[in-house]
Amino acid sequence: MLSALQSLQPRQLATQVINFALILSTAFMLWKGLSIATDSPSPIVVVLSGSMEPAFQRGDLLFLWNRGQDTQIGEIVVYKVKGKDIPIVHRVVRRFGGGDKPLQLLTKGDNNNADDTELYARGQDYLNRSEDIIGSAKGYIPGIGYVTIMLSEHPWLKTVMLGLMGAIVVLQRE
């Protein structure tokens, strides 16, 4: 592999590196475009636990929509807890307020015995719809997000995958 890299002319090598950068920037632009279209900072999320079984399994890929703030009971939402990085996918079981008052939601995992008040930030009894909700689930693809789970649980796989992708792009000859 190293000999193949050394055999490339500087201009060919620069072309391959630029192609790789274009692929990465295109993926980034698509993500940002989806974020703007869905009004969600994270328009696609992976279910990380079994708390929503049987509706969603671990590894399911969810598509979110965050336009329209009138969330109903029974709707599946993704929310972030203040001070934590991992989004949570759960169903709305109660709603308070709305109209002139801020809409507040209480959520619960379908496979959990209790509601989510223990998961919320300290002193928080309900989720504020406009501040805490990332989006509502509007569609999903079963199991395809398991790749993301594997990459998170085994960080060395990220390095291997990025290295292989980079090597393929750089060593590919037109």
Side-chain angles (χ1 to χ4, degrees):
M1 181 168 102
L2 195 56
S3 63
L5 260 178
Q6 291 172 340
S7 70
L8 289 174
Q9 298 295 325
R11 187 179 196 135
Q12 289 174 318
L13 182 61
T15 300
Q16 298 298 18
V17 169
I18 289 171
N19 283 340
F20 186 61
L22 284 172
I23 290 169
L24 291 178
S25 63
T26 300
F28 178 74
M29 287 188 297
L30 284 171
W31 181 263
K32 284 301 179 185
L34 273 175
S35 294
I36 292 168
T38 62
D39 194 28
S40 175
S42 186
I44 300 172
V45 296
V46 175
V47 178
L48 298 176
S49 74
S51 67
M52 278 304 291
E53 291 178 359
F56 297 118
Q57 308 294 316
R58 188 171 191 248
D60 289 353
L61 189 71
L62 302 180
F63 299 99
L64 305 183
W65 186 258
N66 200 32
R67 296 202 177 270
Q69 302 285 317
D70 191 31
T71 305
Q72 299 299 316
I73 293 174
E75 197 169 326
I76 296 170
V77 296
V78 178
Y79 66 90
K80 267 196 176 173
V81 176
K82 294 171 183 74
K84 297 181 182 173
D85 291 334
I86 298 173
I88 298 172
V89 180
H90 281 173
R91 190 178 303 276
V92 175
V93 293
R94 278 201 173 147
R95 59 178 264 153
F96 304 95
D100 295 341
K101 298 179 182 177
L103 181 57
Q104 295 184 316
L105 307 170
L106 179 65
T107 56
K108 177 185 173 295
D110 289 356
N111 202 22
N112 293 350
N113 293 326
D115 61 40
D116 291 349
T117 51
E118 294 296 320
L119 298 176
Y120 300 158
R122 177 169 286 175
Q124 184 178 15
D125 293 325
Y126 304 102
L127 297 172
N128 184 315
R129 173 61 179 93
S130 60
E131 294 174 11
D132 300 319
I133 303 297
I134 296 172
S136 297
K138 294 299 179 189
Y140 77 103
I141 300 175
I144 200 164
Y146 217 89
V147 173
T148 303
I149 292 173
M150 293 301 294
L151 291 173
S152 295
E153 290 178 353
H154 306 288
W156 60 271
L157 279 175
K158 283 183 192 175
T159 306
V160 170
M161 268 187 72
L162 283 174
L164 286 173
M165 287 171 45
I168 288 169
V169 169
V170 170
L171 297 177
Q172 173 188 355
R173 296 194 182 195
E174 295 178 8

